[in-house]
Amino acid sequence: MTVILTVLAALIASCACAYHRTSLRTWAIATIATTVIAGLVLQTPWTMVILLLIELAIAVPLLMVGFRRQQISAPLLKMFAKVTPKLSETEQTALEAGTVGFEGELFSGKPDWSRLLREPKPELSAEEQAFLDGPVEELCAMIDDWQITHELADLPPEVWDFIKKNRFFGMIIPKQYGGLQFSALAHSAVLQKLASISATVSSTVAVPNSLGPAELLLHYGSDEQKNHYLPRLAVGEEIPCFALTGPYAGSDATSITDYGVVCKQMVDGVETLGMRLTFDKRYITLAPIATVVGLAFRLYDPDKLLGEKEDLGITLALLPRATPGLEIGRRHFPLNIPFQNGPLHGKDVFVPMSVLIGGPKMAGHGWRMLVEVLSVGRAISLPSNATGAMRTSTAATGAYARMRKQFGLAIARFEGVEEALARIGGLTYATTALSRATAAAVDRGEKPAVTSAIAKYHATEWARQVASDTMDVHGGKAVQLGPKNYAGRGWASVPIAITVEGANIMTRSLMIFGQGAIRCHPYVLKEMQALSITDRDEQLRLFDRALFGHIGFGISNAVRSLVLGLTGSAIGQAAGDAYTGRYYRKLNRYSAALALCADVAMGVLGGKLKFKEKLSARLGDVLSYLYIASAMLKRYEDNGRPEADRPLLAWAFHECVWRMQMALDGVIRNFPVRPVAWLLRVLVFPFGRREVPPSDRLGRRVAAIITAPGEARDRLLEWVYLTPTPNNTVGRMEALLPQVIAAEPVERKFGKAQKAGQFKTHDYVSQLHEAQAQGVISAAELALLEQVREGVFEFISVDDFDPSELRAEVTRADRQPAVAAGSEAEHGAS
Ligand SMILES: Cc1cc2nc3c(=O)[nH]c(=O)nc-3n(C[C@H](O)[C@H](O)[C@H](O)COP(=O)(O)OP(=O)(O)OC[C@H]3O[C@@H](n4cnc5c(N)ncnc54)[C@H](O)[C@@H]3O)c2cc1C
């Protein structure tokens, strides 16, 4: 027994050092000292000696840095160089672009929460708030979404004019060029509010403010290009589009077949250096009405007119619409959300070199330019549009479920509906925090490559879930399209958000963990970077440092994961208050588990992990849920820890943690090397899977929050257009909701009398009058019930049409053939 206790004491000292990430020297001293003390106290000299020999055999070679480098690190460096897959130029560019923010802490296995909580609360400036309360509110009041989506298949001219005049297209353009120069938070708030009334309008406004000519010019444009284009883009004198995608290049944008050849041509009698471009692009937002086209193509210089390189690579140019040979103007029809979107083509279109963004020196740098700025737009556009739509769904579905009665009860009272309402409220709460977190990161100057992918993926996936629940709760009301249907177009727009700016399956399977693992890991990138160093001593020094840091990191994460798993995350430092402290501790545990599993997956599978997309996706899910949960906790702190929000926070937090657990379980269950998987299971789930999804009781509290006015609901509905204007059914429902709730006890009294057969008449209004005459309800109560009945009828009713109103005017026979340049034959020729 004393022998076991001696070994245990040494082990505990070792683990404590690993848990707290002490230096190697501290570990050696603490472990040796503990062994000696335990050996003497417990009188186990032989055990003590054996343990000391083992400890010294480990510590001495590792502490002799010169010896360690030459005898251990050097051979490992050789092996590492052999097994490490060479990064493609594209992957290298993607890894180098962008910055790492708090997600790096989540990958560390020991997040520094004070770093998160120190960040100032993101807030709008007075000017930005005035824009939201002024022009945005005015624009929302002008929007008739049915007219846009069904009658015009376009925004009406006055809406276009208003958008341009009020510089909605210039939110990211600095004031010196006439733009609004808004913060990312304000940009996000504007899009959320527009998305709350029309997906078509919010998409139209989002695109010029996302990746496109303005963003690219700001970063790479020459002064001449900036001075020419930016002031005109800011006020909508120029309408931009950006064309990357083509029939053969979708998710893999680097495979574009569009090309340009450097050449000389006589222009107005002058020999001009330029390019002959051949391109076939599709799905391009704003293309049909664009006046300036951002174009991505591969540039070749066979005659070496620019330099020695023949294949220069992906290049970006800005083509004025009037460019001879540029064919543009036809439209695609994206799922009844008719923002301007269409193809564009050109064959042997000659343009001077001055159209290159940044001029000829930027030829061939297009991919780097795109990747460097992509993350900023991706952090704002889609997450904001999704959040705005979810907030509106919360308002509308919460109110509708309280107004719509079946089986004598508001449908919100049925447990089945309550379950859907809880998902709507909980996921909306999580998404609002997520989109705010990424906007705040952009405002801090980050280029959030990993978290923008997390935000894009999860905001749009959860918007899909919420849109689906919204449809279900509304039943036929949401199915029958027409001016009264405020949910159908939101549902239709979801696949668009899922597809654009990185289609979701690819974003989840390839990008989140693929980039996150290397970018956020404290050592892997350093190890890989060491491989490219030519000075051998320096290379070995850096590799040795990264390698042993990495080994210590791995051991620490294994110990932390096990200890936190064994204690049910009950130990360790915690940020937050008495309510949220346990949440931070839980995240500590899963952060350690993620870091451990990621390291093991990378170490065991190496380059093959890239093709194990299902494992990579699940590891990315864990990182994502850690990030989303952190964003929620930060939001809770920023709002002054409001008690009213706790059910929402608790629901969303438990959902995230449960999903994290299931994702980790999926990784371990499907890990191809089984003995490694068994070990991981012990370290990650020593007592099995203990997390559970949010309880029914919690779900009931969330449903109660979103079906009645209140402080937590108000926060969820921030930036939703709720003014009860004639074009805004959701706003008018919101206005009626307090009366609907006030009427409920009166309805119960009335219902009782009805059931008791107290009335002689049959219709509702006559029975109300009878009830008043019999003293069942007062005159004021009668007026309230009549008012509510009339008000609610408007919201439960749907549209009907004369058949001629539903027919498209253009028949199959009238349709114009597509322009020839987009044909397969043409493309094949290219
Ligand atoms: C309405 C709309 C507007 C758009 N606006 C623009 C615009 O303004 N400018 C522009 O250039 N482009 C635009 N696009 C193009 C958009 O970015 C692409 O549609 C998107 O990149 C996906 O390409 P794809 O549709 O060809 O799908 P594909 O690339 O064919 O992908 C099909 C499926 O395969 C999955 N997939 C592909 N590769 C992988 C992988 N390695 N691992 C896992 N899954 C994978 C994808 O996730 C997707 O689910 C727009 C598209 C739409 C629909």
Side-chain angles (χ1 to χ4, degrees), residues 386-469:
T387 308
M390 291 167 85
R391 288 184 193 271
T392 315
S393 286
T394 304
T397 318
Y400 185 81
R402 195 92 191 221
M403 292 180 190
R404 176 69 174 159
K405 307 244 163 33
Q406 288 295 288
F407 302 99
L409 286 175
I411 56 170
R413 300 272 298 277
F414 299 115
E415 288 205 352
V417 173
E418 195 176 86
E419 203 174 14
L421 292 172
R423 268 195 304 269
I424 292 174
L427 295 180
T428 302
Y429 181 82
T431 310
T432 57
L434 171 63
S435 65
R436 189 176 274 260
T438 46
V442 172
D443 280 333
R444 284 196 296 273
E446 289 179 28
K447 286 186 178 163
V450 175
T451 53
S452 66
I454 291 176
K456 193 273 159 174
Y457 176 83
H458 288 276
T460 55
E461 285 297 331
W462 283 350
R464 164 151 59 188
Q465 178 65 56
V466 165
S468 173
D469 283 324

Side-chain angles (χ1 to χ4, degrees), residues 207 211 240-253 281-287 294 296 332-335 337 339-342 495-511 610 613:
V207 167
L211 175 66
C241 71
F242 186 76
L244 180 62
T245 305
Y248 295 101
S251 299
D252 178 11
K281 302 288 193 185
R282 64 178 186 181
Y283 304 166
I284 310 305
T285 301
L286 292 183
H332 297 308
F333 192 24
L335 286 175
I337 310 297
F339 55 89
Q340 294 282 341
N341 183 273
I496 300 174
I498 298 283
T499 302
V500 299
E501 296 207 14
N504 274 12
I505 296 181
M506 185 196 65
T507 301
R508 172 172 179 253
S509 320
L510 205 65
M511 290 173 64
K610 197 158 106 180
E613 285 196 348

